């Protein structure tokens, strides 16, 4: 079992920055990938970014060039640096780990479902005002 705890969300104006953190209760080094997803009210969960075991990354087109996913293996912590935030980035952000299969990490961003990942946190809210 792994517990994931997200933090760093908040309210910012458009153009601002936030850094989300996701602390894991144990090492996730063996996971094929770690991921950030987000879900806005009334919308489906969408993939934001993935960092694979080899540290390669994948981003949603909507955040490419503005967001950066990274991790600190010693601290078992995943990060999402979000710059140039837009109102459409407003959502609950979740980190996920423990993909069931390798293909989950190599077939786009996926859906962030319980069929894909074993663990996820409670989420952290990001609100961007115009």
């Amino acid at each position: 079992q792994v517990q994931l705890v997200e933090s760093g969300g908040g309210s910012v104006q458009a153009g601002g920055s936030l850094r989300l953190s996701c602390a894991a209760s144990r090492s996730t080094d063996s996971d094929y990938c770690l991921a950030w997803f987000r879900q806005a009210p009334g919308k489906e969960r969408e993939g934001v970014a993935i960092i694979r075991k080899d540290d390669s990354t994948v981003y949603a087109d909507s955040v490419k060039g503005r967001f950066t996913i990274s991790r600190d293996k010693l601290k078992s912590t995943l990060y999402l640096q979000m710059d140039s935030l837009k109102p459409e980035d407003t959502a609950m952000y979740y980190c996920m780990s423990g993909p069931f299969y390798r293909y989950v990490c190599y077939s786009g961003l996926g859906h962030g479902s319980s069929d894909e990942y074993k663990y996820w946190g409670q989420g952290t809210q990001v609100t961007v005002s115009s």
Side-chain angles (χ1 to χ4, degrees):
Q1 279 281 15
V2 176
Q3 280 74 49
L4 301 175
V5 179
E6 300 98 334
S7 62
S11 296
V12 297
Q13 290 191 327
S17 298
L18 285 172
R19 188 194 195 202
L20 305 185
S21 299
C22 172
S25 58
R26 63 164 176 78
S27 173
T28 54
D29 288 0
S30 63
D31 287 7
Y32 292 124
C33 67
L34 304 172
W36 285 100
F37 285 81
R38 66 186 181 186
Q39 189 165 16
K43 294 187 177 181
E44 293 188 354
R45 186 170 296 183
E46 64 171 342
V48 176
I50 282 177
I51 184 165
R52 299 180 180 127
K53 194 173 182 178
D54 62 0
D55 288 331
S56 61
T57 56
V58 179
Y59 294 93
D61 288 342
S62 59
V63 307
K64 204 170 294 183
R66 299 188 298 121
F67 290 11
T68 304
I69 188 172
S70 63
R71 61 178 170 175
D72 186 328
K73 294 181 181 180
L74 292 177
K75 295 181 179 179
S76 298
T77 301
L78 178 70
Y79 301 101
L80 185 68
Q81 177 66 42
M82 306 187 296
D83 299 318
S84 302
L85 282 162
K86 303 177 180 179
E88 50 263 45
D89 294 320
T90 295
M92 185 72 80
Y93 284 72
Y94 302 88
C95 63
M96 293 191 162
S97 71
F100 284 102
Y101 307 104
R102 185 178 182 275
Y103 79 81
V104 169
C105 306
Y106 289 86
S107 304
L109 291 166
H111 304 286
S113 70
S114 57
D115 293 336
E116 297 172 325
Y117 293 90
K118 297 176 188 175
Y119 311 113
W120 55 92
Q122 81 290 346
T124 186
Q125 178 67 39
V126 172
T127 302
V128 185
S129 58
S130 57

